Structure formats: structure tokens, C-alpha cells
């Protein structure tokens, strides 16, 4: 299969240049004559970005497939210009042993529209963790959240960091401090946003501080998931180490705790203040934050309609992270080059995906053509995630992905699924 994308503005973190991109057998290659191409796409007036890599999604397969399965989750990803996802271990059964991982891989094989990788969940069974092969990294829940993978004891954190160090794998920490959250339970009152006061900014800061100290001692790769507060950003900014990466989730950029009227905007970590949101935006620009990741966490409407303290935490996001950020480009809040740095190059670097995140010759032909003039509103009617709702309902966004290419195949074009299930396990 030979493909040419002609005359698009090709974007990297360094520059944007109008050029042709040539693809053969899933890779970007040197120029070849147009007569040899099986397909030619007209990129004039559009921007070609490396496919978005979302290193933090919860696709619920197996065990929660009423909320999402790999087909629906990866379809939502493909429609959103996301060509690689990394899936979290809090499925049912959880991905905490080689056996569970092998079963998950078997189940997902041939059912994903985008490329994928899996995290192992850290538990007290360190032997099981040590034996796990073919993973993107290790997920460590320092606080309780969906799925019961809490590992609270610092002595275990240290062992997990050592295992990661020995294997040169990143540890992804969910950095909230469980003891701090429990202490704050007294703040629980009548308001839905009391939830944000219980899982306070201080609890996040405390956990990040402990994780950074421990990383310094052990020397492993560390990725801090969903940074949400100014205080955490200050710790990360002061730390500066090539083995440290971190992410921000779109919901923490586009909502504050004041928006939390019910459980639909309940997630862990929760929404924060406008001061925190402004600090997050500044950190996207100054390089403190290295990745945008959605923490796509679908739950059914029925579950979210429950009382705030009963309903599960998490919001879907994989389908709209790119249009949200493209709209922010349109509004002059950041550049397209910065979007590529945060959504393509940053995640590729954090998770060692050497052939992804860029459009140089020899790299994987994962890419997305975007139309910066297209304007439409987000609606639950357009959602491909099985949960069937989105926190961004009624947002009017300018800048949308129009063609998604995975492994050199056109997967989405003009709102249609063109090629099915061509994603592969990248680990
Ligand atoms: O809000 C969240 N939802 N945070 C998590 O840590 C887990 C996730 C989920 O799986 O629902
Ligand atoms: Zn998560």
C-alpha cells in the first residue's frame, strides 16, 4: 500500500512546512513518483500532524464493557485523531499478572482501530509484577480510585520503583495521598464540590512530593499522571530531570470546581480552582508539562446520575482532546507546534515510542489531517464512546481532525470508518 499526502502544512514541535508526505507499508518513506501511489490525499489548506498519542485511557475491556469496549473506545480515539492509546490496568480482572495481561492481549487482538499498549498495575504481589513482559509501564495508585488498585504503603512504592528501574520502565503514579484524603472526610457537606475539598490540592501536592523524593533515591523513570494544581507544578518545575515526565488532562484545563453541579464532573483527581487552571495553561507553554493525556474514564449515564458520593469518578475524553486543543490554538492560547509537542512528541518520549510522535522518514505512518477552519459544536449525538455522553456537550470548537491514518491506512475519512481493526499492540 502506497499513499501520498500532498501539500499539507506538516507540523512538528519545531516548525510547520508545506510538503508532501510519502507512505509505504505503514512507514513514512522518501519521495516516490505519484504514478506508483495507490491513494493520493489532497492536503491543501490543511495541517498534517503526527497521530495523537493518548498515554492514559481506561477502555474497560474486560469487565466493564457496558461502559466501553476496545472497539468503541478505539473508534472514539480514531475519530478524535488519536492513533495510539495506552490502556490502564483497572479492568476486571485487573492487569496485575502475566496471565491477566496475556488474556487481555488475546481478547483485544484484532479489535482495535488504533495502536495500543497496556500498563501493569502494581500490587503487593511484587513477584507477579517482576515477571510481566510486554507492558508500557507500571501504574501505581497511591490513592484509592475506580478499580481497587490502591497501594498505600511507601515500602511497596520503593519496591515498585526498583522493579521499574531494573527494567527501564516508567512508573505512572496516580499521585494523591490516601491518608490526607481520609483526614479531609470531615469536609464532606451538602455541595457536590465538597468532593474537591476532600480530595484537596494539598493531598495531591503531598503525594507528588513523596514520589519525587523516592524517584531521586531510586533513579527510575517516573511519569506523574493528571497534574491538576499549581502546587504540584511548582514541585515538578523545580525538580527538572530527564527521567521525569508528566501529563495534564483536558478536563482540568477546561473546567473549575465551580462547574461541578453533579457527579458528571466528578473525577480523581477532582476539579480545581481558577488559579490552578491558569497555572496549568502557563505550564503547557513553559515546558513544565510534557504531555496531554485524557484519563478517558467512561461511566454510564445511570451511574453518573447518582449522588456525588455514590457515583463513580471519571469522565470520557479521548474523542475530543485534539479538537479542544485545536480550538485553543484558534483562540491564540498556544501554537500548533506546542500541541504536537504535548500530544505527540511528549508522550512518545515519555514511553519510549521511538518511531512515533513525528513525521520523519522511517517513522510509523500514524498521522492526522486537521481542518483548522471547520467549526462545529460537540454533541452527545456524535460521541463514539459507548458511554454516549461527553462533559464537553455544547462546546463550539474550531479546528477538527478530518482524516486519521494508522499504520499507513486511512482509518477515518469524511466522518466514515474506512478500515477496521488495524491497530496493533506496540509492546
Ligand atoms: O476519575 C478517575 N477515573 N480517576 C481514576 O483514577 C480512575 C478512573 C476510572 O477508571 O474510572
Ligand atoms: Zn486514570
Amino acid at each position: 500500500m502506497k499513499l501520498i499526502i500532498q501539500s499539507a502544512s506538516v507540523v512538528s514541535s519545531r516548525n510547520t512546512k508545506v510538503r508532501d508526505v510519502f507512505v509505504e507499508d505503514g512507514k513514512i518513506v522518501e519521495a516516490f513518483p505519484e504514478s506508483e501511489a495507490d491513494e493520493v490525499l489532497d492536503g491543501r489548506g490543511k495541517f498534517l500532524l503526527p497521530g495523537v498519542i493518548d498515554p492514559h485511557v481506561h477502555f474497560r475491556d474486560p469487565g466493564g464493557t457496558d461502559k466501553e469496549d476496545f472497539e468503541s473506545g478505539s473508534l472514539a480515539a480514531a475519530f478524535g485523531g488519536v492513533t495510539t492509546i495506552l490502556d490502564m490496568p483497572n479492568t476486571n480482572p485487573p492487569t496485575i499478572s502475566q496471565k491477566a495481561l496475556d488474556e487481555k492481549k488475546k481478547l483485544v487482538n484484532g479489535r482495535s482501530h488504533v495502536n495500543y499498549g497496556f500498563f501493569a498495575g502494581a500490587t503487593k504481589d511484587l513477584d507477579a509484577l517482576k515477571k510481566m513482559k510486554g507492558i508500557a509501564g507500571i501504574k501505581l495508585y497511591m490513592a484509592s480510585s475506580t478499580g481497587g488498585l490502591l497501594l498505600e504503603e511507601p515500602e511497596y512504592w520503593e519496591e515498585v520503583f526498583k522493579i521499574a528501574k531494573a527494567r527501564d520502565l516508567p512508573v505512572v503514579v496516580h499521585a494523591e495521598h490516601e491518608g490526607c484524603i481520609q483526614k479531609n472526610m470531615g469536609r464532606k457537606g451538602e455541595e457536590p464540590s465538597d468532593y474537591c475539598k476532600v480530595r484537596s490540592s494539598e493531598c495531591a501536592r503531598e503525594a507528588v512530593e513523596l514520589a519525587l523524593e523516592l524517584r531521586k533515591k531510586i533513579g527510575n523513570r517516573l511519569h506523574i499522571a493528571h497534574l491538576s494544581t499549581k502546587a504540584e507544578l511548582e514541585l515538578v518545575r523545580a525538580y527538572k530531570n530527564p527521567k521525569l515526565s508528566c501529563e495534564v488532562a483536558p478536563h482540568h484545563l477546561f473546567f473549575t470546581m465551580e462547574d461541578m453541579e453533579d457527579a458528571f464532573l466528578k473525577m480523581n483527581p477532582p476539579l480545581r480552582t481558577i488559579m490552578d487552571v491558569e497555572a496549568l495553561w502557563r505550564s503547557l507553554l513553559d515546558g513544565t508539562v510534557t504531555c496531554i493525556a485524557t484519563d478517558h474514564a467512561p461511566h454510564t449515564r445511570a451511574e453518573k446520575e447518582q449522588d456525588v458520593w455514590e457515583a463513580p469518578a471519571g469522565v470520557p475524553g479521548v474523542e475530543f482532546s485534539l479538537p479542544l486543543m485545536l480550538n485553543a490554538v484558534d483562540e491564540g492560547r498556544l501554537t500548533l507546534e506546542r500541541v504536537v509537542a504535548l500530544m505527540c512528541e511528549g508522550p512518545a518520549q515519555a514511553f519510549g515510542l521511538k518511531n512515533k510522535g513525528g513525521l520523519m522518514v522511517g517513522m510509523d505512518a500514524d498521522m492526522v489531517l486537521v481542518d483548522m477552519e471547520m467549526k462545529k459544536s460537540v454533541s452527545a449525538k456524535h460521541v463514539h464512546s459507548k458511554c454516549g455522553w461527553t462533559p464537553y456537550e455544547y462546546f463550539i470548537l474550531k479546528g477538527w481532525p478530518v482524516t486519521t491514518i494508522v499504520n499507513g491506512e486511512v482509518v477515518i475519512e469524511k466522518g466514515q470508518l474506512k478500515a477496521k481493526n488495524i491497530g496493533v499492540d506496540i509492546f
Side-chain angles (χ1 to χ4, degrees), residues 1 3 39-41 74-75 78-79 112-113 384 402-406 408-423:
M1 167 72 183
L3 168 71
E39 195 171 352
V40 178
L41 294 179
S74 66
L75 188 66
F79 270 100
S112 184
H113 302 298
H384 292 88
V402 287
T403 306
T404 306
I405 296 161
V406 180
E409 302 259 356
V410 177
V411 170
I412 305 289
E413 201 186 11
K414 299 196 181 91
Q416 299 292 324
L417 178 65
K418 296 268 171 177
K420 285 184 172 184
N421 302 329
I422 57 156

Side-chain angles (χ1 to χ4, degrees), residues 56-58 88 90 139 141 174 225-226 247 268 295-297:
H56 190 155
V57 305
H58 300 264
M88 286 295 164
N90 60 338
K139 178 69 183 285
Y141 281 94
H174 179 121
H226 36 54
E247 64 185 41
N268 299 330
D295 197 6
H296 175 82

Side-chain angles (χ1 to χ4, degrees), residues 68-90:
E68 196 80 281
D69 59 32
F70 240 85
E71 277 133 0
S72 59
S74 66
L75 188 66
F79 270 100
V82 175
T83 55
T84 299
I85 59 96
L86 302 182
D87 184 54
M88 286 295 164
N90 60 338

